[in-house]
């Protein structure tokens, strides 16, 4: 819980009043999921905004021949299929855990209550939206401006301890190449 409070205070760039924290904390649900657990299927509606305590979640678009990994979330990150969460409409993505994952979750309706009944609720929502928007924009820019090797090196720089926990086929899909091309990049880098 303290990691979440710290993350939220960093998010709003201020100390969260104790009464707001207590109200928010009362709405949280602690969940643990095994490795390879499907959290949501494409076509379903995202009902939760989550904070990953420990674990990795892969978000992907299912395909007839192969899935396309579009996003990954790691320890101490807020995560959601945010467009589905905000609109409460069907998701284009599926999500699954890549390792045992524990998280704190808040439902859409409970988050609306937090917005209404706390002094910092709307600020939390706005800042979380801004952070998720920036992350999405950075991902799009990296796909458009960087080549595959640069995208791999960027991921290696940002999450070096987690790369080893992501199967190569998902990592390759995430940076937009085949597993064989990723093997060649790794060989070049390590040569």
């Amino acid at each position: 819980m303290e990691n979440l409070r710290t993350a939220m205070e960093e998010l709003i760039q201020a100390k969260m009043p104790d009464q707001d924290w207590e109200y928010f904390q009362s709405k949280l649900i602690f969940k643990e999921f095994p490795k390879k657990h499907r959290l949501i299927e494409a076509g379903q509606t995202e009902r939760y905004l989550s904070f990953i305590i420990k674990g990795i979640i892969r978000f992907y678009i299912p395909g007839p021949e192969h899935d396309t990994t579009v996003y990954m979330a790691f320890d101490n990150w807020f995560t959601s299929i945010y467009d589905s969460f905000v609109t409460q409409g069907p998701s284009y993505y599926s999500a699954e855990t890549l390792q045992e994952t524990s998280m704190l979750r808040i439902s859409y309706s409970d988050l609306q209550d937090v917005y209404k009944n706390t002094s910092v609720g709307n600020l939390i929502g706005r800042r979380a939206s801004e952070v998720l928007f920036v992350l999405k924009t950075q991902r799009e820019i990296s796909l458009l401006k960087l080549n595959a090797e640069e995208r791999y090196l960027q991921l290696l720089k940002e999450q070096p301890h987690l790369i080893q926990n992501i199967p190569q086929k998902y990592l390759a899909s995430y940076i937009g190449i085949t597993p064989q091309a990723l093997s060649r990049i790794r060989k070049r880098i390590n040569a």
Side-chain angles (χ1 to χ4, degrees), residues 1-11 21 30 49-57 59 71-80 99-104 128 131-132 135 158-159 161-162:
M1 285 289 186
E2 283 309 306
N3 283 354
L4 175 57
R5 186 171 186 172
T6 299
M8 290 181 69
E9 289 176 345
E10 287 174 5
L11 182 70
W21 171 247
F30 176 78
L49 178 63
S50 301
F51 179 78
I52 301 171
I53 298 167
K54 183 172 178 18
I56 302 173
I57 300 173
F59 298 87
Y71 182 70
M72 285 188 251
F74 305 98
D75 299 1
N76 296 313
W77 284 25
F78 292 97
T79 191
S80 179
Q99 60 183 215
E100 288 184 16
T101 300
S102 57
M103 62 179 77
L104 292 165
V131 167
L132 290 170
L135 289 171
E158 292 171 359
Q159 299 292 336
H161 62 288
L162 298 173

Side-chain angles (χ1 to χ4, degrees), residues 26-125:
S26 74
K27 303 289 186 182
L28 296 174
I29 303 161
F30 176 78
K31 293 291 277 185
E32 292 181 300
F33 299 99
K35 180 179 181 176
K36 300 294 283 175
H37 177 81
R38 191 89 29 90
L39 297 168
I40 188 170
E41 296 278 353
Q44 294 177 331
T45 299
E46 175 67 85
R47 304 284 183 208
Y48 298 97
L49 178 63
S50 301
F51 179 78
I52 301 171
I53 298 167
K54 183 172 178 18
I56 302 173
I57 300 173
R58 175 178 83 103
F59 298 87
Y60 62 96
I61 299 171
E65 293 182 30
H66 65 283
D67 299 336
T68 302
T69 301
V70 292
Y71 182 70
M72 285 188 251
F74 305 98
D75 299 1
N76 296 313
W77 284 25
F78 292 97
T79 191
S80 179
I81 300 177
Y82 202 62
D83 57 332
S84 175
F85 181 76
V86 169
T87 64
Q88 286 297 279
S91 169
Y92 293 103
Y93 309 111
S94 294
E96 72 176 350
T97 59
L98 293 184
Q99 60 183 215
E100 288 184 16
T101 300
S102 57
M103 62 179 77
L104 292 165
R105 308 176 99 189
I106 187 167
S107 71
Y108 179 84
S109 60
D110 283 343
L111 186 60
Q112 302 313 302
D113 287 343
V114 169
Y115 290 163
K116 286 184 231 167
N117 297 311
T118 64
S119 63
V120 297
N122 282 319
L123 178 59
I124 291 167

Side-chain angles (χ1 to χ4, degrees), residues 112-150:
Q112 302 313 302
D113 287 343
V114 169
Y115 290 163
K116 286 184 231 167
N117 297 311
T118 64
S119 63
V120 297
N122 282 319
L123 178 59
I124 291 167
R126 180 179 61 95
R127 291 290 296 136
S129 294
E130 290 169 352
V131 167
L132 290 170
F133 175 77
V134 168
L135 289 171
K136 182 178 180 352
T137 302
Q138 289 172 339
R139 168 96 171 113
E140 290 169 351
I141 289 168
S142 77
L143 286 170
L144 294 170
K145 292 195 76 154
L146 303 178
N147 65 39
E149 186 169 326
E150 291 167 332

